[in-house]
Amino acid sequence: MTQLISPLLIIPLIFILSLILPMCAGNSIIYTECSSPYYTPTTPYESNLNTLLTSLVNSASVTTFNKFKISPPGSSQRDVVYGLYQCQSDLSCSDCRDCVASSVSQLRTTCHVSVGGSIQLDGCFVMYNNTFFFGVEDKTEVLKICGPTVGYNSDALNHVDDALTYLVTWNGQYFRKGGFGSVQGVAQCIQDLSASQCEDCLIYARGRLRSQCETSSSGDMYLGKCYLQYKDLEVHPIIGKR
């Protein structure tokens, strides 16, 4: 029986460049992760990885999510590569492709010769590895951002709770926007997860947000396979795409 291994040993390389580097809409980098094992250049794994990354970009022209296993005839198990991308469902096909292409370009540079890597941009997520991870839930905390505190304002905090409850309640969609009153947010799961896995991931993200950003007017929680974001628009008048 094949053991499913979640890429938990990835060493985070956090680049919160979206705070300092203006880029095309939806293409600001939130974080990048690269695995510690490396492959040797000019080997079959590199060739398969190049095929995978090209396939991800091409597919993003027609759909906002897809996953691939690259294993040409004659490939050994160590040369197999798995990968996927996920765009926000409200992105156009051209914007999705641009976002995935930007992600792939960043991964080629930042995760050079790493056997696995992942990157989250404002508008999309890309991940690849040599271990099977499709459908494997991953609630590892990758990045947390807490905004300024509003103090123990019961009305404001109740609005945050109501908004997050709305966002994490399963509604048949892997991407959702909305909230309660002035508190609005965004939630997304990677579509290789089942409905129950998605809801479980988002509920866990909500718990971590409420415990770690307890009195904040905004918060972002990025886990391995989902993220959750909220902002009080009375404090932050613009809620950007995620």
Side-chain angles (χ1 to χ4, degrees):
M1 180 177 179
T2 301
Q3 183 180 11
L4 303 184
I5 304 175
S6 180
L8 298 178
L9 300 180
I10 293 175
I11 300 174
L13 303 173
I14 306 301
F15 299 92
I16 315 178
L17 301 182
S18 59
L19 302 178
I20 58 175
L21 180 63
M23 299 179 71
C24 297
N27 287 2
S28 296
I29 300 173
I30 307 300
Y31 68 82
T32 306
E33 293 184 320
C34 304
S35 64
S36 52
Y38 303 104
Y39 64 83
T40 303
T42 73
T43 57
Y45 188 80
E46 181 179 51
S47 176
N48 291 345
L49 177 58
N50 288 335
T51 298
L52 170 79
L53 296 177
T54 299
S55 298
L56 297 179
V57 175
N58 290 340
S59 178
S61 299
V62 294
T63 183
T64 57
F65 167 77
N66 211 344
K67 58 185 180 180
F68 295 89
K69 172 186 176 182
I70 305 300
S71 179
S75 292
S76 65
Q77 184 57 42
R78 69 175 179 274
D79 295 325
V80 176
V81 59
Y82 305 87
L84 59 74
Y85 70 89
Q86 172 93 56
C87 292
Q88 284 190 182
S89 59
D90 60 347
L91 288 187
S92 67
C93 288
S94 60
D95 285 344
C96 180
R97 186 187 187 284
D98 289 346
C99 191
V100 173
S102 179
S103 298
V104 166
S105 177
Q106 292 291 335
L107 284 171
R108 287 186 186 277
T109 301
T110 306
C111 298
H112 180 58
V113 304
S114 291
V115 299
S118 62
I119 184 169
Q120 176 75 60
L121 271 60
D122 271 345
C124 65
F125 174 81
V126 172
M127 180 178 183
Y128 68 88
N129 209 289
N130 65 342
T131 56
F132 182 84
F133 60 87
F134 298 155
V136 178
E137 191 171 359
D138 182 1
K139 296 186 288 187
T140 305
E141 182 179 319
V142 181
L143 176 65
K144 171 199 67 183
I145 305 172
C146 297
T149 182
V150 295
Y152 284 94
N153 181 320
S154 60
D155 288 340
L157 296 179
N158 285 339
H159 286 176
V160 170
D161 283 332
D162 291 339
L164 292 180
T165 297
Y166 169 81
L167 288 168
V168 305
T169 301
W170 177 250
N171 63 355
Q173 298 177 334
Y174 285 86
F175 171 74
R176 60 202 76 164
K177 282 184 176 181
F180 184 88
S182 63
V183 180
Q184 298 292 307
V186 177
Q188 183 161 34
C189 296
I190 306 304
Q191 281 182 241
D192 67 321
L193 297 181
S194 68
S196 61
Q197 288 175 320
C198 176
E199 186 174 29
D200 183 53
C201 190
L202 290 176
I203 289 173
Y204 185 77
R206 177 184 63 182
R208 295 194 70 81
L209 264 182
R210 296 308 290 124
S211 64
Q212 298 186 44
C213 301
E214 186 178 5
T215 62
S216 296
S217 58
S218 64
D220 299 74
M221 180 61 63
Y222 291 88
L223 305 182
K225 286 285 187 79
C226 71
Y227 71 80
L228 185 60
Q229 172 203 27
Y230 74 89
K231 292 184 180 180
D232 188 332
L233 300 187
E234 291 183 351
V235 180
H236 309 274
I238 299 176
I239 182 166
K241 278 194 171 183
R242 276 290 199 274

